[in-house]
Amino acid sequence: MALIGKVAVVTGAAMGLGNAMTRILLQNGAKVVLLDVNNTAGENFQEALHKEYGSEKTFFFKCDVESEQQIKAALKKTTEAFGGIDILCNNAGILNEGEWEKTVSINMVALFRVTYLALEYMNKLNGGRGGVIVNTASMAGLIPLLSCPVYTATKHGVVGFTRAMSLASKASGYGIRFNALCPGFVQTDLFINIPKRLGQFSNLADETLKLVDKFKVLTVTQVAESFLELVTDETKDGEALIVLPDGTSYMEFPVLC
Ligand SMILES: NC(=O)C1=CN([C@@H]2O[C@H](COP(=O)(O)OP(=O)(O)OC[C@H]3O[C@@H](n4cnc5c(N)ncnc54)[C@H](O)[C@@H]3O)[C@@H](O)[C@H]2O)C=CC1
Ligand SMILES: CCCCCC(=O)/C=C/C=C\C/C=C\C/C=C\CCCC(=O)O
């Protein structure tokens, strides 16, 4: 799928992985709508992008993915400004075992809601152009992370949702591919703050650091390059792409029927 002229929406776009996804989409010719709850970081990033790519290629909306009203408004304005949506990157996420209900709300409930609301514009059955949805899961969506049971559960939920939506899309004719991105540890604010966010599992911080030593840490640029494959390669649908410093691989799931 060539990205020239395509319209992408990225949640959690202001910082970390979302920032790198936005950059790689722009570098490949897409227009990008940035959604983020952090207004200052979003406006600063938009200003930088306007200088680099011109003001026609991006715009930023302050949008909390937990708010149905704010998502609806952002998607409506995106379609009015750019004529449709071809790519959705559900990337906003947090890790906070202390505030575990909020972790479920942002990582899973909001991701489902943004997807359903975006389908109203993207689904070919609704007059949309089809396209691709990439959900940011994690290695913790495939393997349990001992210090983060709720984060692990949300990321397993994202992988399951992605795979089921892929099947629903194929069976119904939405014209939309669904893929999950499953990186290991990535050098971002979320990663840096892990020791402060383990809640009742803070006694397991050292065990977590051992895992970091074992898996090593990715840069956001490395992950964005793998993300691009899920967006552009039309053969990838219902996939979970593992991204680690020593390489990438597609998860092989059991086939029971
Ligand atoms: N950093 C890591 O080691 C890994 C991160 N991930 C996942 O990658 C995604 C991005 O995380 P990072 O870039 O590391 O984190 P980050 O903390 O650097 O960036 C997250 C961005 O999401 C935004 N955000 C948070 N809550 C939001 C909300 N309610 N509405 C809208 N925007 C919101 C933040 O303002 C921020 O700009 C998350 O889903 C995370 O679970 C997956 C694997 C590893
Ligand atoms: C500690 C929070 C990390 C949050 C960021 C994130 O999503 C990163 C996850 C990266 C990898 C870790 C996930 C699972 C690995 C856990 C155990 C593996 C043990 C099995 C083994 O082969 O040794």
Side-chain angles (χ1 to χ4, degrees), residues 12 14-17 36-38 63-65 91-94 106 136-138 151 155 183-186 188-191:
M15 289 160 63
L17 270 175
D36 205 290
V37 71
N38 184 333
C63 174
D64 183 342
V65 292
N91 169 74
I94 63 166
I106 293 176
T136 306
S138 161
Y151 182 80
K155 295 304 184 179
F185 300 103
V186 193
T188 67
D189 281 8
L190 180 148
F191 171 75

Side-chain angles (χ1 to χ4, degrees), residues 145-202:
L145 194 50
L146 78 171
S147 54
C148 306
V150 169
Y151 182 80
T152 295
T154 63
K155 295 304 184 179
H156 275 65
V158 170
V159 171
F161 179 72
T162 306
R163 297 179 66 218
M165 287 301 296
S166 163
L167 294 177
S169 175
K170 273 185 251 189
S172 312
Y174 298 174
I176 300 172
R177 293 181 291 116
F178 289 79
N179 291 307
L181 182 68
C182 299
F185 300 103
V186 193
Q187 193 64 50
T188 67
D189 281 8
L190 180 148
F191 171 75
I192 291 163
N193 288 316
I194 288 170
K196 289 188 270 177
R197 304 274 190 265
L198 298 181
Q200 64 182 300
F201 304 101
S202 59

